[in-house]
């Protein structure tokens, strides 16, 4: 998905600052006091997850990183809070996501020719992938729409490709 069918056009530092502010505000609004060390710990946990995911070809999700970070700060997993917090974290970046010019037309042409197109995306949040595909108008042309966060397997693990082929 990213850098193949869509791109980001925002300043990465500004996008990151907006995401950090959004998740921190969300946690505070929901009764947690994450403190100044929350964001550095959260980013470090995500980096560890990315390294582990690359090595093991199994996805380590943003939600898992958040859960581990909050545990380090003495918070148990708040019931139902983690997915909503992760969603808030990614919302800031949505306005910077754009389909490459010609993407929709290319997918329409492939569909008109009777070809099925599936999507396999390495991503640490399935809702991020599903939301981007829907928001950018790509969803009607792809089936299945798969992310490593949704299935746990990460490209190039053959299991994720076998799943898509079966679908």
């Amino acid at each position: 998905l990213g850098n193949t069918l869509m791109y980001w056009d925002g300043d990465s530092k500004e996008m990151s600052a907006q995401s950090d502010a959004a998740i921190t505000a969300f946690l505070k609004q929901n009764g947690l006091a994450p403190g100044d060390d929350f964001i550095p710990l959260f980013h470090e946990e995500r980096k560890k997850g990315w390294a582990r995911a690359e090595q093991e070809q199994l996805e380590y999700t943003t939600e898992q990183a958040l859960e581990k970070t909050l545990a380090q700060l003495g918070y148990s997993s708040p019931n139902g809070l983690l997915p909503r917090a992760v969603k808030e974290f990614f919302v800031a970046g949505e306005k910077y996501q754009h389909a490459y010019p010609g993407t929709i037309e290319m997918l329409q042409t492939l569909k008109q020719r009777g070809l099925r197109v599936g999507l396999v995306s390495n991503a640490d949040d399935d809702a991020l992938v599903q939301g981007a595909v829907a928001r950018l108008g790509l969803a009607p042309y792809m089936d299945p729409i798969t992310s490593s966060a949704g299935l746990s397997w990460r490209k190039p693990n053959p299991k994720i490709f076998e799943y898509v082929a079966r679908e």
Side-chain angles (χ1 to χ4, degrees), residues 13-142:
K13 288 183 181 179
E14 177 60 28
M15 203 166 43
S16 182
Q18 290 174 12
S19 295
D20 293 346
I23 195 169
T24 301
F26 178 84
L27 293 173
K28 287 180 180 178
Q29 290 167 0
N30 285 276
L32 281 76
D36 293 339
D37 52 347
F38 166 69
I39 291 298
L41 288 172
F42 180 52
H43 285 289
E44 183 58 31
E45 195 58 41
R46 288 189 78 207
K47 287 178 189 174
K48 287 179 190 174
W50 297 331
R52 191 177 98 196
E54 284 293 319
Q55 182 180 27
E56 298 174 9
Q57 296 179 358
L58 296 171
E59 194 59 72
Y60 185 73
T61 67
T62 302
E63 188 173 323
Q64 290 170 312
L66 178 59
E67 183 175 31
K68 191 164 185 178
T69 301
L70 290 175
Q72 290 173 42
L73 297 172
Y75 296 103
S76 61
S77 295
N79 189 21
L81 186 68
L82 297 178
R84 294 178 13 238
V86 169
K87 182 178 180 179
E88 288 298 315
F89 179 70
F90 286 120
V91 164
E94 290 176 356
K95 63 186 169 202
Y96 302 108
Q97 298 172 340
H98 306 281
Y100 281 113
T103 297
I104 299 288
E105 294 80 3
M106 180 257 320
L107 291 170
Q108 287 172 334
T109 299
L110 293 173
K111 188 171 185 170
Q112 288 168 354
R113 291 182 181 176
L115 299 172
R116 287 187 62 200
V117 176
L119 175 73
V120 178
S121 183
N122 280 346
D124 59 3
D125 187 65
D126 187 57
L128 175 69
V129 171
Q130 301 297 331
V133 168
R135 196 173 38 267
L136 298 174
L138 308 175
Y141 308 104
M142 292 187 247

Side-chain angles (χ1 to χ4, degrees), residues 1-9 98-100 103 121-122 136:
L1 177 62
N3 300 317
T4 303
L5 300 174
M6 61 163 270
Y7 65 96
W8 289 264
D9 69 353
H98 306 281
Y100 281 113
T103 297
S121 183
N122 280 346
L136 298 174

